[in-house]
């Protein structure tokens, strides 16, 4: 067994892991660090082995990338409105790892099986290329993110279904929709299960596949978040892509409810006056109206019968459905979906030899089932007791621990509920029924640090609009905490803040807020709050107008890193 000790171990070599390792080495170049990656190369969800035809970035390149290696504009044939093919993102992250000297610090094909703590040392056990290994470190960063543990439904009749069932994590390695696709000739009827952006991407890719034309079915559950609302990628004015606007402070300020903004006259006007609420509804509903108008669900020529079932009834105010940026020409995309894809709404009853049978008896001929069913927010490398100690989601299958955690947070959550509803009265009236949660939410201070242990940090937990920006800010914060550069609030204050944010999340995002990590429109206010706790000011050196309307550019991070170095390292 290989046993080694390090100053810092980072688990995961995606955007968050690479960023944390790079910043740590920039500040402490003599540090002995190691990055453990389960895949064969860097990139995480953006790695080349997980890339598949039709998988594109959600955000525009102008707000993507790291400050110390600017992301180049993609070629026109691999981009749309600054969004780009995932293969270009893979190449960018591979280049970044090489340029920053991270590749030689990575251990690839390393599956982490267990993480425990012995006194002051973290012990990480696993297997590397089939051989057992054990690493120790005083500081640990978990950067495996939200897209690691596949959520695979349990299907009745799975044993009789003859075709492959592929979760989206494995679409790339399966070589689906490429000339090298195995058993391609037998894959004549494809069914995609799920209503997310990934589902829309793979459905479109299947429908235009030139290697092997086939029947494409899209099945969306009635009991889930429903059909996807795809917003046109074209930005407004100076914003080339819609996600550039989404990373401005004006969007954070216009969020229906934002826990990281102060309670001032602006907040009062928006959330406690009829004029303010109508203004908010108009601004946000216009985005959905534009998306619906672009799709022409009720009037598109040549549309198959089920196309109208894609029309979403999601609420912008409540975010009750899936949202995404349509990084394709809208007319082309919707014509393909309308005219070449059979859309079904319903619940899976069982699988048969060559069909998906719905609970209402309808059969969908299928010889390849693609699952766009998302990911579990789980950390199997930690024991249930350790997960509870660190503030990670805990399943109700661990009955005693689950009830103990709920009892501990009960009074805090109740006080947070009163505070949230007093600040945003409209949150009383959720359009969705209260759903009993099967897991406890994340209980991490600033979505990063366990109350019980500052020697470990969890990065990549927020569900947000720009991973690169959040990765940089979270890395700085994690380093400051782990190195003792800043003093955390007392435990009671951190727990009150955690309960407040988790309760807000559950109320503000009733369809997706149960884990407590959604911040789709509030991201910049969150990172500003974290930078404020670090005492950093360089990003504020601009006019009020630029402060509110400029996206968070990666180039600004260089000044923040140097400010951090001067404040905490070179003293």
């Amino acid at each position: 067994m290989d046993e080694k000790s390090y100053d810092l171990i980072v688990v995961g070599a995606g955007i968050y892991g690479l960023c944390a390792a790079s910043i740590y080495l920039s500040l402490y170049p003599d540090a002995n660090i190691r990055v453990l990656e389960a895949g064969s190369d860097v990139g995480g969800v953006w790695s080349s082995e997980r890339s598949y035809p039709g998988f594109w970035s959600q955000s525009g390149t102008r707000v993507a990338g790291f400050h110390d290696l600017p992301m180049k504009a993609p070629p026109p044939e691999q981009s749309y409105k600054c969004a780009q093919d995932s293969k270009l993102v893979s190449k960018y992250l591979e280049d970044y790892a090489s340029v920053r000297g991270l590749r030689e610090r990575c251990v690839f094909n390393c599956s982490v099986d267990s993480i425990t703590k012995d006194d002051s040392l973290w012990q990480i056990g696993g297997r590397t290329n089939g051989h057992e290994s054990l690493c120790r470190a005083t500081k640990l960063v978990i950067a495996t993110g939200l897209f690691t543990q596949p959520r695979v439904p349990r299907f009745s009749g799975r044993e009789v279904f003859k075709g492959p069932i592929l979760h989206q994590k494995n679409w790339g390695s399966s070589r689906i929709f490429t000339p090298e696709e195995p058993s391609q000739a037998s894959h004549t009827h494809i069914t995609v299960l799920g209503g997310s952006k990934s589902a829309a991407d793979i459905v479109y890719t299947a429908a235009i596949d030139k290697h092997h034309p086939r029947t494409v079915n899209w099945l969306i559950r009635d009991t889930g978040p429903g059909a996807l609302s795809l917003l046109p990628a074209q930005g407004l004015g100076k914003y080339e892509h819609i996600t550039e606007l989404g990373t401005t402070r004006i969007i954070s300020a216009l969020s229906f409810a934002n826990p990281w903004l102060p309670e001032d006259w602006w907040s009062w006007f928006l959330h406690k006056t009829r004029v303010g609420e109508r203004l908010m509804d108009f601004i946000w509903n216009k985005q959905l109206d534009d998306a619906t108008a672009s799709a022409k669900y009720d009037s598109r020529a040549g549309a198959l019968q089920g196309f109208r079932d894609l029309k979403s009834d999601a609420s912008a105010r409540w975010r009750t459905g899936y949202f995404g940026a349509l990084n394709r020409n809208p007319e082309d995309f919707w014509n393909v979906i309308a005219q070449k894809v059979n859309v079904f709404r319903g619940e899976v009853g069982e699988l048969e030899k060559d069909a998906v049978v719905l609970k209402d008896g309808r059969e969908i001929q299928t010889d390849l089932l693609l699952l766009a069913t998302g990911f579990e927010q789980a950390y199997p490398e930690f024991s249930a007791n350790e997960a509870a100690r660190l503030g990670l989601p805990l399943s109700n299958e661990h009955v005693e621990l689950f009830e103990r955690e709920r009892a501990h947070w009960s009074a805090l959550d109740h006080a947070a509920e009163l505070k949230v509803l007093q600040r945003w009265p409209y949150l009383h009236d959720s359009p969705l029924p209260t759903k009993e949660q099967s897991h406890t939410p994340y209980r991490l201070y600033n979505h990063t640090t366990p109350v019980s242990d500052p020697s470990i940090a969890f990065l990549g937990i927020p569900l947000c609009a720009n991973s690169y920006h959040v990765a940089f800010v979270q890395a700085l914060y994690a380093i400051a905490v782990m190195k003792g550069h800043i003093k955390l609030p007392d435990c009671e204050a951190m727990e009150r803040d955690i309960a407040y944010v988790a309760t807000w999340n559950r109320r503000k995002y009733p369809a997706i807020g149960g884990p407590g990590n959604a911040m789709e429109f509030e991201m910049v206010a969150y990172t500003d709050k974290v930078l404020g706790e670090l005492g950093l000011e360089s990003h504020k050196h601009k006019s009020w107008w630029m402060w509110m309307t400029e996206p968070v550019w990666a180039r600004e991070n260089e000044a923040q890193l140097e400010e951090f170095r001067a404040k905490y390292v070179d003293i």
Side-chain angles (χ1 to χ4, degrees):
M1 179 183 292
D2 183 26
E3 296 187 29
K4 294 183 180 179
S5 297
Y6 300 92
D7 301 319
L8 169 70
I9 288 177
V10 178
V11 181
I15 291 173
Y16 286 87
L18 293 177
C19 184
S22 177
I23 291 176
Y24 199 91
L25 287 171
S26 176
L27 296 170
Y28 311 101
D30 296 328
N32 183 21
I33 79 168
R34 182 64 79 203
V35 181
L36 308 180
E37 168 56 44
S40 61
D41 207 336
V42 301
V45 68
W46 297 104
S47 65
S48 57
E49 63 188 348
R50 289 183 65 174
S51 179
Y52 54 87
F55 182 23
W56 282 36
S57 67
Q58 271 285 87
S59 58
T61 53
R62 298 205 312 169
V63 291
F66 300 116
H67 72 276
D68 42 0
L69 185 67
M71 185 175 280
K72 297 177 182 178
E77 65 273 15
Q78 289 182 286
S79 66
Y80 181 77
K81 305 300 181 185
C82 291
Q84 61 183 326
D85 192 310
S86 62
K87 294 180 179 63
L88 298 178
V89 182
S90 304
K91 181 65 166 58
Y92 171 80
L93 294 174
E94 290 166 6
D95 290 345
Y96 186 78
S98 298
V99 169
R100 295 295 299 143
L102 302 176
R103 188 171 293 279
E104 55 265 33
R105 297 178 184 268
C106 291
V107 180
F108 296 112
N109 301 308
C110 177
S111 61
V112 173
D113 301 324
S114 66
I115 298 178
T116 58
K117 194 172 187 183
D118 183 14
D119 294 328
S120 61
L121 281 178
W122 288 101
Q123 300 191 72
I124 300 91
R127 300 184 69 83
T128 303
N129 294 316
H131 301 287
E132 290 187 9
S133 61
L134 179 66
C135 301
R136 296 183 176 88
T138 54
K139 293 174 283 295
L140 178 61
V141 166
I142 304 298
T144 49
L146 302 176
F147 309 106
T148 299
Q149 303 293 330
R151 179 184 296 124
V152 179
R154 296 178 180 176
F155 297 111
S156 174
R158 171 66 183 90
E159 67 282 358
V160 302
F161 184 70
K162 297 301 183 182
I165 298 178
L166 298 175
H167 186 271
Q168 62 199 85
K169 183 176 180 178
N170 306 119
W171 290 348
S173 59
S174 74
R175 294 172 290 168
I176 188 77
F177 307 129
T178 71
E180 296 78 32
E181 178 184 335
S183 305
Q184 188 183 69
S186 65
H187 298 159
T188 59
H189 291 77
I190 292 178
T191 297
V192 178
L193 173 61
S196 66
K197 178 64 165 56
S198 296
D201 286 341
I202 204 69
V203 164
Y204 175 80
T205 300
I208 63 170
D209 182 22
K210 297 178 181 179
H211 303 296
H212 191 72
R214 35 198 150 191
T215 301
V216 181
N217 307 304
W218 189 358
L219 173 58
I220 301 174
R221 296 167 51 227
D222 284 329
T223 56
L228 172 72
S229 293
L230 283 171
L231 309 180
Q234 176 65 57
L236 303 173
K238 66 179 181 179
Y239 308 107
E240 292 189 16
H241 191 277
I242 190 173
T243 54
E244 292 183 8
L245 180 59
T247 61
T248 63
R249 291 175 178 85
I250 189 67
I251 289 299
S252 274
L254 286 172
S255 166
F256 278 108
N258 192 327
W260 296 291
L261 291 179
E263 295 188 63
D264 53 16
W265 69 270
W266 177 249
S267 176
W268 172 84
F269 169 71
L270 290 180
H271 305 299
K272 294 187 177 179
T273 70
R274 288 187 178 182
V275 174
E277 290 216 345
R278 287 176 180 172
L279 174 65
M280 296 280 282
D281 279 329
F282 171 79
I283 291 172
W284 290 103
N285 286 339
K286 187 172 188 313
Q287 293 292 318
L288 291 186
D289 292 342
D290 288 347
T292 300
S294 172
K296 302 176 186 174
Y297 295 108
D298 298 318
S299 60
R300 186 165 294 277
L304 298 176
Q305 184 175 359
F307 180 64
R308 292 182 180 180
D309 289 336
L310 289 177
K311 190 173 183 178
S312 173
D313 58 359
S315 163
R317 174 186 282 262
W318 294 96
R319 212 304 198 169
T320 52
Y322 290 117
F323 289 74
L326 178 50
N327 294 325
R328 296 284 192 281
N329 177 282
E331 274 300 295
D332 171 66
F333 177 87
W334 288 119
N335 277 334
V336 168
I337 299 299
Q339 298 165 13
K340 297 185 177 182
V341 177
N342 302 305
V343 177
F344 297 85
R345 298 297 300 271
E347 302 297 319
V348 177
E350 63 178 351
L351 301 184
E352 292 185 350
K353 178 181 178 181
D354 56 1
V356 175
V357 182
L358 305 187
K359 288 186 176 179
D360 61 11
R362 287 177 294 165
E363 294 189 9
I364 305 173
Q365 186 176 352
T366 305
D367 50 45
L368 174 60
L369 180 57
L370 301 180
L371 304 180
T373 48
F375 294 82
E376 303 287 358
Q377 299 192 32
Y379 298 82
E381 61 269 28
F382 294 98
S383 69
N385 280 297
E386 189 70 344
R389 182 181 80 88
L390 296 174
L392 299 176
L394 186 69
S395 169
N396 59 10
E397 294 176 357
H398 305 284
V399 178
E400 187 175 340
L401 272 176
F402 185 83
E403 293 302 327
R404 189 186 74 186
E405 285 298 297
R406 293 183 66 170
H408 173 80
W409 288 94
S410 176
L412 289 161
D413 287 341
H414 178 69
E417 187 98 357
L418 296 176
K419 184 177 179 180
V420 166
L421 294 179
Q422 187 279 326
R423 182 172 180 183
W424 300 288
Y426 88 88
L427 293 179
H428 277 281
D429 304 315
S430 172
L432 299 181
T434 301
K435 184 170 65 174
E436 187 67 23
Q437 297 297 320
S438 61
H439 290 72
T440 59
Y442 286 100
R443 301 290 192 178
L444 300 168
Y445 183 63
N446 282 336
H447 289 294
T448 303
T449 303
V451 174
S452 63
D453 197 330
S455 70
I456 183 173
F458 294 86
L459 308 188
I461 301 302
L463 190 63
C464 62
N466 188 325
S467 295
Y468 294 94
H469 176 66
V470 174
F472 176 82
V473 173
Q474 286 196 326
L476 284 184
Y477 185 77
I479 291 168
V481 171
M482 290 190 295
K483 296 287 286 187
H485 294 322
I486 62 173
K487 183 180 180 182
L488 290 170
D490 61 54
C491 291
E492 290 78 10
M494 285 194 286
E495 288 190 340
R496 284 195 299 271
D497 184 82
I498 290 169
Y500 176 59
V501 172
T503 300
W504 161 80
N505 226 294
R506 177 172 49 79
R507 284 283 187 171
K508 168 69 165 58
Y509 293 102
I512 62 171
N517 63 332
M519 55 173 77
E520 296 197 339
F521 307 121
E522 299 82 19
M523 178 198 77
V524 183
Y526 158 73
T527 55
D528 280 348
K529 187 251 190 185
V530 175
L531 291 171
E533 290 195 17
L534 291 172
L536 301 184
E537 301 281 340
S538 60
H539 59 296
K540 296 181 179 180
H541 298 163
K542 56 185 71 173
S543 68
W544 178 86
W545 179 251
M546 296 290 280
W547 170 256
M548 293 299 293
T549 63
E550 282 289 290
V552 284
W553 305 116
R555 59 178 178 264
E556 296 178 358
N557 295 343
E558 183 174 2
Q560 292 172 337
L561 180 61
E562 293 312 309
E563 185 183 6
F564 184 97
R565 188 193 311 276
K567 189 177 183 70
Y568 296 117
V569 182
D570 297 339
I571 55 175

